[in-house]
Amino acid sequence: MQKKIGMVSLGCPKNQVDAEIMLNRLKEAGFEITGDAAKADAVIINTCGFIEDAKKEAIENILELAELKKESNLKGLIVTGCLAERYKDEVITEMPEIDAIVGIGANEDIVDVVNRVIDGEGGISKFADKDKLDMDSDRILASPRYTAYLRIADGCDNCCTYCTIPFIRGRFRSRTMESVIDEAKRLALRGVKELVVIAQDTTRYGEDLYGELKLAELLRKLCKIDGIEWIRILYAYPDRITDELIDTMASESKIMNYIDIPLQHCNGEILAAMNRHGDRKALTELIAKIRKKMPDVALRTTFITGFPGETEEQFTELCEFVNEIGFERLGCFAYSAEEGTKAAEMENQVEKSVKERRAEVIMDDQLRIISEKNEQKIGKTLTVLVEGYDSYIRCCYGRSYADAPEIDAKIFFAPSETRPNEGDLVEVEIFDTIEYDLLGQQI
């Protein structure tokens, strides 16, 4: 009888790509992939372990599946991903419900581990050198058929003082340009229309392999691939957004005027304590340069409130910056002190209630900003990538160039006489707003 394997993947798109590669290895080995954990012989929980909330989510999923293991066909639980890599010694000993733990560097051994678990073996711990993990493997897409994440590098060398990624994922490693282009062509042949370019730091792409930044050149080559219609960029580091990159984005029609730049703060002293560069003036000048070349650009960013030592004056500066710039997309998070990071050992830790209050203030300001920006879109026509149909409200929904999958807003619209299919690009006239989302009518 064919063995069945289930997968729960948590965290960021970069983690999702790891899950997709592991699923492909298992399928090639003869496993049947199932979305019903109760019918699986084993389930892989591909975890995130970046911040405290992510760790809690991973543990909740593990415990929930452990209960299912008692009352169904499920024989084994395998934990992979960032939590496994970060807490390799604790996870397997403190959670007896787990049958195996696999570090990121050992993902290539997933077939052997799953077989051993299904055969009744437990207490398996498998780790290997992350810097030697193959990044060019085929994968089974977990995203809709028309959209795919394209990971161009892994690891990180930025070493921000609050961040655990360099410990978890290892040094920054770019894929060769040839391998990235080959994968993009294969994705296009499978019907993918939208490529979402990802890495821990996309703007650093190529520096380790070619001795210079190569993201702009890579994007130009991706634009030449038939079938690919939208390309968007996530996780761009502000220091490495070059004039060449901005000019490439502005001149290539397939590249969405959308860029995700996690700024984290604007105050120079706080940024220096984070081991990041720049200040409010430098960041304002960068954004002005981007908007001059792309007036309709959608800028996404994230901020951290309550970093150790953040004063009320520095927080006020951040609020002023957010309101002055008027980001199209923004997320804000209360600082999380993570074990093993330099920031966790810093003096002047900010009280939890203060950190959370500051994050709420930023998000309240952002809701007002986006409401004003959305009001300006009423009466305009946007190209929408159709994602589905909601039978309850009898509306289609999708995204414009200004919205990345899973993290940004939606456009809900009444379809024309012939309802469009998922993955179609249609024109929608906007007539109203609901907080972050837009309402429209297909033309």
Side-chain angles (χ1 to χ4, degrees):
M1 184 180 293
Q2 190 177 24
K3 298 175 182 177
K4 295 182 179 181
I5 185 74
M7 170 77 78
V8 176
S9 190
L10 308 171
C12 68
K14 300 175 287 289
N15 212 38
Q16 179 177 317
V17 171
D18 283 342
E20 292 172 342
I21 290 172
M22 284 189 282
L23 284 175
N24 188 68
R25 292 185 190 281
L26 289 158
K27 184 179 180 181
E28 289 184 342
F31 283 85
E32 178 185 341
I33 311 301
T34 177
D36 187 347
K39 295 180 180 179
D41 294 292
V43 172
I44 299 167
I45 307 103
N46 192 42
T47 60
C48 176
F50 179 49
I51 58 174
E52 188 63 33
D53 286 347
K55 289 182 282 186
K56 289 179 180 177
E57 183 184 21
I59 292 169
E60 287 170 1
N61 273 269
I62 292 168
L63 294 177
E64 183 178 325
L65 287 166
E67 287 300 312
L68 186 63
K69 188 177 170 185
K70 298 175 183 177
E71 56 193 42
S72 70
N73 181 64
L74 186 60
K75 299 180 179 69
L77 298 180
I78 300 108
V79 174
T80 62
C82 293
L83 187 77
E85 185 69 38
R86 186 177 178 187
Y87 297 103
K88 59 184 70 175
D89 297 323
E90 295 97 322
V91 171
I92 198 74
T93 55
E94 295 183 10
M95 300 192 74
E97 299 90 349
I98 296 169
D99 299 286
I101 180 171
V102 179
I104 291 168
N107 282 349
E108 292 176 359
D109 299 317
I110 193 65
V111 173
D112 172 64
V113 172
V114 171
N115 276 320
R116 288 165 61 187
V117 166
I118 292 175
D119 288 342
E121 187 176 345
I124 302 168
S125 185
K126 195 89 170 181
F127 292 87
D129 188 350
K130 297 184 287 288
D131 293 337
K132 295 179 180 178
L133 181 65
D134 181 15
M135 294 188 288
D136 301 331
S137 303
D138 284 338
R139 51 197 174 110
I140 294 175
L141 295 184
S143 55
R145 58 177 175 76
Y146 48 83
T147 295
Y149 294 106
L150 183 65
R151 184 169 63 185
I152 62 175
D154 201 3
C156 189
D157 289 347
N158 290 334
C159 298
C160 301
T161 57
Y162 55 81
C163 185
T164 57
I165 293 298
F167 315 136
I168 296 172
R169 308 292 307 195
R171 297 295 302 273
F172 184 85
R173 295 185 301 136
S174 299
R175 296 173 60 188
T176 65
M177 196 169 296
E178 293 76 15
S179 71
V180 175
I181 297 299
D182 285 346
E183 181 180 12
K185 288 179 178 178
R186 293 195 303 272
L187 291 170
L189 289 172
R190 291 163 64 176
V192 170
K193 292 183 179 180
E194 178 187 34
L195 292 178
V196 184
V197 178
I198 58 170
Q200 302 298 334
D201 176 359
T202 51
T203 44
R204 197 167 199 145
Y205 173 74
E207 187 178 57
D208 54 322
L209 288 182
Y210 307 111
E212 58 183 329
L213 303 177
K214 288 284 190 177
L215 179 59
E217 180 181 339
L218 174 65
L219 290 171
R220 290 193 292 271
K221 291 185 176 181
L222 290 173
C223 287
K224 295 177 181 178
I225 299 174
D226 291 338
I228 300 301
E229 300 188 47
W230 281 11
I231 299 170
R232 69 175 71 244
I233 305 164
L234 300 187
Y235 316 123
Y237 198 79
D239 291 16
R240 285 181 278 275
I241 296 178
T242 63
D243 290 345
E244 181 190 16
L245 177 59
I246 297 171
D247 289 340
T248 298
M249 291 183 64
S251 62
E252 294 284 357
S253 61
K254 287 187 178 182
I255 302 176
M256 298 296 94
N257 286 356
Y258 174 106
I259 186 167
D260 174 75
I261 315 172
L263 297 178
Q264 313 306 358
H265 214 283
C266 72
N267 176 268
E269 292 178 351
I270 294 294
L271 287 169
M274 291 177 168
N275 195 34
R276 296 174 68 91
H277 304 105
D279 54 20
R280 181 176 178 178
K281 180 175 181 292
L283 296 176
T284 300
E285 290 173 352
L286 171 64
I287 291 166
K289 183 188 295 186
I290 294 171
R291 283 182 166 161
K292 183 177 181 181
K293 292 282 185 176
M294 295 177 282
D296 64 341
V297 70
L299 291 173
R300 161 164 277 283
T301 194
T302 52
F303 290 113
I304 297 172
T305 56
F307 188 81
E310 183 189 53
T311 64
E312 281 294 336
E313 290 75 19
Q314 290 166 333
F315 170 65
T316 298
E317 182 181 0
L318 178 59
C319 291
E320 291 171 352
F321 179 69
V322 167
N323 284 276
E324 173 190 329
I325 298 298
F327 292 94
E328 284 73 22
R329 305 287 181 261
L330 182 150
C332 188
F333 306 93
Y335 166 73
S336 175
E338 298 299 315
E339 312 99 305
T341 63
K342 291 184 179 179
E345 304 300 321
M346 290 179 179
E347 298 179 354
N348 299 320
Q349 297 285 327
V350 179
E351 290 183 11
K352 181 180 179 181
S353 60
V354 175
K355 294 187 291 189
E356 292 177 347
R357 175 186 61 80
R358 291 176 179 176
E360 288 173 1
V361 169
I362 294 290
M363 291 312 299
D364 285 344
D365 284 351
Q366 179 60 19
L367 180 56
R368 176 185 50 77
I369 291 167
I370 199 63
S371 296
E372 292 172 357
K373 287 181 177 289
N374 280 350
E375 287 286 337
Q376 296 170 9
K377 293 177 183 175
I378 293 177
K380 293 184 178 180
T381 299
L382 298 176
T383 301
V384 175
L385 179 63
V386 181
E387 294 185 299
Y389 179 78
D390 189 320
S391 58
Y392 181 72
I393 59 175
R394 297 181 182 179
C395 272
C396 293
Y397 58 89
R399 295 179 285 111
S400 74
Y401 79 93
D403 302 294
E406 301 180 66
I407 56 174
D408 289 327
K410 300 285 187 190
I411 297 176
F412 294 90
F413 63 93
S416 60
E417 291 181 7
T418 303
R419 187 193 304 172
N421 298 314
E422 291 184 18
D424 285 352
L425 289 168
V426 301
E427 298 302 304
V428 174
E429 183 177 355
I430 305 303
F431 63 73
D432 205 352
T433 72
I434 302 178
E435 292 190 339
Y436 290 97
D437 298 323
L438 298 173
L439 302 179
Q441 169 71 52
Q442 181 185 351
I443 298 175

PDB file of all heavy atoms in Angstrom, residues 169-190:
ATOM      1  N   ARG A 169      19.631  30.094   9.481  1.00  0.00           N
ATOM      2  CA  ARG A 169      19.731  29.793   8.051  1.00  0.00           C
ATOM      3  C   ARG A 169      21.158  29.771   7.529  1.00  0.00           C
ATOM      4  O   ARG A 169      21.395  29.325   6.407  1.00  0.00           O
ATOM      5  CB  ARG A 169      18.928  30.805   7.227  1.00  0.00           C
ATOM      6  CG  ARG A 169      17.495  31.030   7.631  1.00  0.00           C
ATOM      7  CD  ARG A 169      16.547  29.911   7.419  1.00  0.00           C
ATOM      8  NE  ARG A 169      16.508  29.350   6.090  1.00  0.00           N
ATOM      9  CZ  ARG A 169      15.525  28.560   5.667  1.00  0.00           C
ATOM     10  NH1 ARG A 169      14.494  28.283   6.466  1.00  0.00           N
ATOM     11  NH2 ARG A 169      15.555  28.030   4.470  1.00  0.00           N
ATOM     12  N   GLY A 170      22.108  30.300   8.296  1.00  0.00           N
ATOM     13  CA  GLY A 170      23.500  30.282   7.852  1.00  0.00           C
ATOM     14  C   GLY A 170      23.894  31.508   7.045  1.00  0.00           C
ATOM     15  O   GLY A 170      23.170  32.500   6.976  1.00  0.00           O
ATOM     16  N   ARG A 171      25.078  31.423   6.428  1.00  0.00           N
ATOM     17  CA  ARG A 171      25.614  32.525   5.640  1.00  0.00           C
ATOM     18  C   ARG A 171      24.790  32.750   4.380  1.00  0.00           C
ATOM     19  O   ARG A 171      24.130  31.862   3.874  1.00  0.00           O
ATOM     20  CB  ARG A 171      27.070  32.222   5.242  1.00  0.00           C
ATOM     21  CG  ARG A 171      28.045  32.084   6.392  1.00  0.00           C
ATOM     22  CD  ARG A 171      28.213  33.386   7.143  1.00  0.00           C
ATOM     23  NE  ARG A 171      28.655  34.463   6.293  1.00  0.00           N
ATOM     24  CZ  ARG A 171      29.936  34.738   6.002  1.00  0.00           C
ATOM     25  NH1 ARG A 171      30.905  33.971   6.493  1.00  0.00           N
ATOM     26  NH2 ARG A 171      30.252  35.753   5.227  1.00  0.00           N
ATOM     27  N   PHE A 172      24.866  33.975   3.850  1.00  0.00           N
ATOM     28  CA  PHE A 172      24.153  34.316   2.624  1.00  0.00           C
ATOM     29  C   PHE A 172      24.747  33.550   1.451  1.00  0.00           C
ATOM     30  O   PHE A 172      25.961  33.549   1.236  1.00  0.00           O
ATOM     31  CB  PHE A 172      24.246  35.820   2.362  1.00  0.00           C
ATOM     32  CG  PHE A 172      23.468  36.278   1.169  1.00  0.00           C
ATOM     33  CD1 PHE A 172      22.119  36.577   1.277  1.00  0.00           C
ATOM     34  CD2 PHE A 172      24.081  36.404  -0.074  1.00  0.00           C
ATOM     35  CE1 PHE A 172      21.395  36.996   0.174  1.00  0.00           C
ATOM     36  CE2 PHE A 172      23.364  36.825  -1.186  1.00  0.00           C
ATOM     37  CZ  PHE A 172      22.020  37.124  -1.059  1.00  0.00           C
ATOM     38  N   ARG A 173      23.871  32.892   0.687  1.00  0.00           N
ATOM     39  CA  ARG A 173      24.306  32.107  -0.473  1.00  0.00           C
ATOM     40  C   ARG A 173      23.365  32.369  -1.642  1.00  0.00           C
ATOM     41  O   ARG A 173      22.174  32.075  -1.568  1.00  0.00           O
ATOM     42  CB  ARG A 173      24.279  30.600  -0.173  1.00  0.00           C
ATOM     43  CG  ARG A 173      25.251  30.128   0.886  1.00  0.00           C
ATOM     44  CD  ARG A 173      25.211  28.612   0.986  1.00  0.00           C
ATOM     45  NE  ARG A 173      23.884  28.119   1.330  1.00  0.00           N
ATOM     46  CZ  ARG A 173      23.301  27.073   0.747  1.00  0.00           C
ATOM     47  NH1 ARG A 173      23.904  26.413  -0.224  1.00  0.00           N
ATOM     48  NH2 ARG A 173      22.094  26.679   1.128  1.00  0.00           N
ATOM     49  N   SER A 174      23.902  32.913  -2.715  1.00  0.00           N
ATOM     50  CA  SER A 174      23.112  33.125  -3.922  1.00  0.00           C
ATOM     51  C   SER A 174      23.083  31.863  -4.764  1.00  0.00           C
ATOM     52  O   SER A 174      24.052  31.108  -4.816  1.00  0.00           O
ATOM     53  CB  SER A 174      23.712  34.255  -4.769  1.00  0.00           C
ATOM     54  OG  SER A 174      23.730  35.474  -4.088  1.00  0.00           O
ATOM     55  N   ARG A 175      21.979  31.638  -5.447  1.00  0.00           N
ATOM     56  CA  ARG A 175      21.928  30.625  -6.495  1.00  0.00           C
ATOM     57  C   ARG A 175      22.556  31.215  -7.758  1.00  0.00           C
ATOM     58  O   ARG A 175      22.559  32.431  -7.946  1.00  0.00           O
ATOM     59  CB  ARG A 175      20.481  30.231  -6.785  1.00  0.00           C
ATOM     60  CG  ARG A 175      19.769  29.571  -5.630  1.00  0.00           C
ATOM     61  CD  ARG A 175      18.303  29.369  -5.948  1.00  0.00           C
ATOM     62  NE  ARG A 175      18.114  28.521  -7.129  1.00  0.00           N
ATOM     63  CZ  ARG A 175      16.941  28.316  -7.709  1.00  0.00           C
ATOM     64  NH1 ARG A 175      15.852  28.915  -7.230  1.00  0.00           N
ATOM     65  NH2 ARG A 175      16.836  27.523  -8.754  1.00  0.00           N
ATOM     66  N   THR A 176      23.052  30.376  -8.632  1.00  0.00           N
ATOM     67  CA  THR A 176      23.582  30.894  -9.889  1.00  0.00           C
ATOM     68  C   THR A 176      22.447  31.485 -10.710  1.00  0.00           C
ATOM     69  O   THR A 176      21.286  31.057 -10.600  1.00  0.00           O
ATOM     70  CB  THR A 176      24.277  29.803 -10.711  1.00  0.00           C
ATOM     71  OG1 THR A 176      23.300  28.820 -11.114  1.00  0.00           O
ATOM     72  CG2 THR A 176      25.379  29.120  -9.907  1.00  0.00           C
ATOM     73  N   MET A 177      22.776  32.461 -11.518  1.00  0.00           N
ATOM     74  CA  MET A 177      21.759  33.096 -12.348  1.00  0.00           C
ATOM     75  C   MET A 177      21.132  32.078 -13.300  1.00  0.00           C
ATOM     76  O   MET A 177      19.921  32.111 -13.553  1.00  0.00           O
ATOM     77  CB  MET A 177      22.368  34.267 -13.124  1.00  0.00           C
ATOM     78  CG  MET A 177      21.333  35.203 -13.697  1.00  0.00           C
ATOM     79  SD  MET A 177      22.012  36.751 -14.340  1.00  0.00           S
ATOM     80  CE  MET A 177      22.686  37.507 -12.866  1.00  0.00           C
ATOM     81  N   GLU A 178      21.949  31.155 -13.810  1.00  0.00           N
ATOM     82  CA  GLU A 178      21.445  30.149 -14.737  1.00  0.00           C
ATOM     83  C   GLU A 178      20.387  29.270 -14.070  1.00  0.00           C
ATOM     84  O   GLU A 178      19.352  28.955 -14.681  1.00  0.00           O
ATOM     85  CB  GLU A 178      22.590  29.284 -15.264  1.00  0.00           C
ATOM     86  CG  GLU A 178      23.590  30.004 -16.155  1.00  0.00           C
ATOM     87  CD  GLU A 178      24.551  30.898 -15.396  1.00  0.00           C
ATOM     88  OE1 GLU A 178      24.649  30.751 -14.150  1.00  0.00           O
ATOM     89  OE2 GLU A 178      25.220  31.744 -16.037  1.00  0.00           O
ATOM     90  N   SER A 179      20.632  28.867 -12.829  1.00  0.00           N
ATOM     91  CA  SER A 179      19.676  27.978 -12.155  1.00  0.00           C
ATOM     92  C   SER A 179      18.363  28.708 -11.848  1.00  0.00           C
ATOM     93  O   SER A 179      17.283  28.125 -11.947  1.00  0.00           O
ATOM     94  CB  SER A 179      20.278  27.416 -10.862  1.00  0.00           C
ATOM     95  OG  SER A 179      20.395  28.420  -9.868  1.00  0.00           O
ATOM     96  N   VAL A 180      18.457  29.982 -11.493  1.00  0.00           N
ATOM     97  CA  VAL A 180      17.242  30.760 -11.219  1.00  0.00           C
ATOM     98  C   VAL A 180      16.418  30.923 -12.496  1.00  0.00           C
ATOM     99  O   VAL A 180      15.191  30.727 -12.497  1.00  0.00           O
ATOM    100  CB  VAL A 180      17.597  32.143 -10.630  1.00  0.00           C
ATOM    101  CG1 VAL A 180      16.332  32.993 -10.475  1.00  0.00           C
ATOM    102  CG2 VAL A 180      18.295  31.989  -9.278  1.00  0.00           C
ATOM    103  N   ILE A 181      17.081  31.265 -13.595  1.00  0.00           N
ATOM    104  CA  ILE A 181      16.382  31.445 -14.866  1.00  0.00           C
ATOM    105  C   ILE A 181      15.749  30.136 -15.327  1.00  0.00           C
ATOM    106  O   ILE A 181      14.602  30.098 -15.795  1.00  0.00           O
ATOM    107  CB  ILE A 181      17.344  31.981 -15.947  1.00  0.00           C
ATOM    108  CG1 ILE A 181      17.858  33.373 -15.560  1.00  0.00           C
ATOM    109  CG2 ILE A 181      16.644  32.029 -17.305  1.00  0.00           C
ATOM    110  CD1 ILE A 181      16.804  34.431 -15.421  1.00  0.00           C
ATOM    111  N   ASP A 182      16.490  29.028 -15.188  1.00  0.00           N
ATOM    112  CA  ASP A 182      15.948  27.725 -15.581  1.00  0.00           C
ATOM    113  C   ASP A 182      14.688  27.390 -14.795  1.00  0.00           C
ATOM    114  O   ASP A 182      13.700  26.893 -15.349  1.00  0.00           O
ATOM    115  CB  ASP A 182      17.003  26.625 -15.380  1.00  0.00           C
ATOM    116  CG  ASP A 182      18.083  26.652 -16.447  1.00  0.00           C
ATOM    117  OD1 ASP A 182      17.890  27.332 -17.479  1.00  0.00           O
ATOM    118  OD2 ASP A 182      19.131  26.006 -16.244  1.00  0.00           O
ATOM    119  N   GLU A 183      14.712  27.651 -13.472  1.00  0.00           N
ATOM    120  CA  GLU A 183      13.527  27.366 -12.671  1.00  0.00           C
ATOM    121  C   GLU A 183      12.369  28.252 -13.082  1.00  0.00           C
ATOM    122  O   GLU A 183      11.220  27.788 -13.191  1.00  0.00           O
ATOM    123  CB  GLU A 183      13.806  27.545 -11.175  1.00  0.00           C
ATOM    124  CG  GLU A 183      12.577  27.223 -10.346  1.00  0.00           C
ATOM    125  CD  GLU A 183      12.773  27.371  -8.842  1.00  0.00           C
ATOM    126  OE1 GLU A 183      13.795  27.930  -8.410  1.00  0.00           O
ATOM    127  OE2 GLU A 183      11.875  26.916  -8.109  1.00  0.00           O
ATOM    128  N   ALA A 184      12.638  29.527 -13.331  1.00  0.00           N
ATOM    129  CA  ALA A 184      11.576  30.443 -13.744  1.00  0.00           C
ATOM    130  C   ALA A 184      10.936  29.989 -15.057  1.00  0.00           C
ATOM    131  O   ALA A 184       9.715  30.075 -15.233  1.00  0.00           O
ATOM    132  CB  ALA A 184      12.126  31.860 -13.876  1.00  0.00           C
ATOM    133  N   LYS A 185      11.738  29.482 -15.976  1.00  0.00           N
ATOM    134  CA  LYS A 185      11.204  28.983 -17.250  1.00  0.00           C
ATOM    135  C   LYS A 185      10.318  27.757 -17.020  1.00  0.00           C
ATOM    136  O   LYS A 185       9.257  27.626 -17.649  1.00  0.00           O
ATOM    137  CB  LYS A 185      12.352  28.643 -18.198  1.00  0.00           C
ATOM    138  CG  LYS A 185      13.075  29.864 -18.763  1.00  0.00           C
ATOM    139  CD  LYS A 185      14.226  29.455 -19.670  1.00  0.00           C
ATOM    140  CE  LYS A 185      14.917  30.679 -20.274  1.00  0.00           C
ATOM    141  NZ  LYS A 185      16.071  30.292 -21.124  1.00  0.00           N
ATOM    142  N   ARG A 186      10.749  26.873 -16.121  1.00  0.00           N
ATOM    143  CA  ARG A 186       9.926  25.688 -15.813  1.00  0.00           C
ATOM    144  C   ARG A 186       8.607  26.102 -15.183  1.00  0.00           C
ATOM    145  O   ARG A 186       7.547  25.533 -15.483  1.00  0.00           O
ATOM    146  CB  ARG A 186      10.685  24.735 -14.875  1.00  0.00           C
ATOM    147  CG  ARG A 186      11.914  24.089 -15.501  1.00  0.00           C
ATOM    148  CD  ARG A 186      12.389  22.901 -14.682  1.00  0.00           C
ATOM    149  NE  ARG A 186      12.693  23.214 -13.302  1.00  0.00           N
ATOM    150  CZ  ARG A 186      13.882  23.639 -12.869  1.00  0.00           C
ATOM    151  NH1 ARG A 186      14.872  23.822 -13.742  1.00  0.00           N
ATOM    152  NH2 ARG A 186      14.088  23.890 -11.590  1.00  0.00           N
ATOM    153  N   LEU A 187       8.658  27.095 -14.302  1.00  0.00           N
ATOM    154  CA  LEU A 187       7.430  27.576 -13.663  1.00  0.00           C
ATOM    155  C   LEU A 187       6.483  28.180 -14.698  1.00  0.00           C
ATOM    156  O   LEU A 187       5.268  27.969 -14.650  1.00  0.00           O
ATOM    157  CB  LEU A 187       7.771  28.608 -12.579  1.00  0.00           C
ATOM    158  CG  LEU A 187       8.480  28.065 -11.331  1.00  0.00           C
ATOM    159  CD1 LEU A 187       8.985  29.206 -10.466  1.00  0.00           C
ATOM    160  CD2 LEU A 187       7.560  27.151 -10.527  1.00  0.00           C
ATOM    161  N   ALA A 188       7.038  28.917 -15.644  1.00  0.00           N
ATOM    162  CA  ALA A 188       6.213  29.517 -16.692  1.00  0.00           C
ATOM    163  C   ALA A 188       5.521  28.434 -17.525  1.00  0.00           C
ATOM    164  O   ALA A 188       4.334  28.566 -17.874  1.00  0.00           O
ATOM    165  CB  ALA A 188       7.067  30.415 -17.581  1.00  0.00           C
ATOM    166  N   LEU A 189       6.235  27.371 -17.823  1.00  0.00           N
ATOM    167  CA  LEU A 189       5.654  26.270 -18.595  1.00  0.00           C
ATOM    168  C   LEU A 189       4.526  25.572 -17.832  1.00  0.00           C
ATOM    169  O   LEU A 189       3.641  24.963 -18.430  1.00  0.00           O
ATOM    170  CB  LEU A 189       6.739  25.252 -18.969  1.00  0.00           C
ATOM    171  CG  LEU A 189       7.754  25.721 -20.018  1.00  0.00           C
ATOM    172  CD1 LEU A 189       8.881  24.706 -20.160  1.00  0.00           C
ATOM    173  CD2 LEU A 189       7.076  25.961 -21.363  1.00  0.00           C
ATOM    174  N   ARG A 190       4.553  25.672 -16.495  1.00  0.00           N
ATOM    175  CA  ARG A 190       3.508  25.069 -15.666  1.00  0.00           C
ATOM    176  C   ARG A 190       2.324  26.011 -15.474  1.00  0.00           C
ATOM    177  O   ARG A 190       1.387  25.703 -14.746  1.00  0.00           O
ATOM    178  CB  ARG A 190       4.091  24.678 -14.302  1.00  0.00           C
ATOM    179  CG  ARG A 190       5.075  23.528 -14.395  1.00  0.00           C
ATOM    180  CD  ARG A 190       5.953  23.394 -13.156  1.00  0.00           C
ATOM    181  NE  ARG A 190       5.211  23.064 -11.953  1.00  0.00           N
ATOM    182  CZ  ARG A 190       5.793  22.823 -10.777  1.00  0.00           C
ATOM    183  NH1 ARG A 190       7.115  22.879 -10.666  1.00  0.00           N
ATOM    184  NH2 ARG A 190       5.062  22.513  -9.727  1.00  0.00           N
TER     185      ARG A 190
END
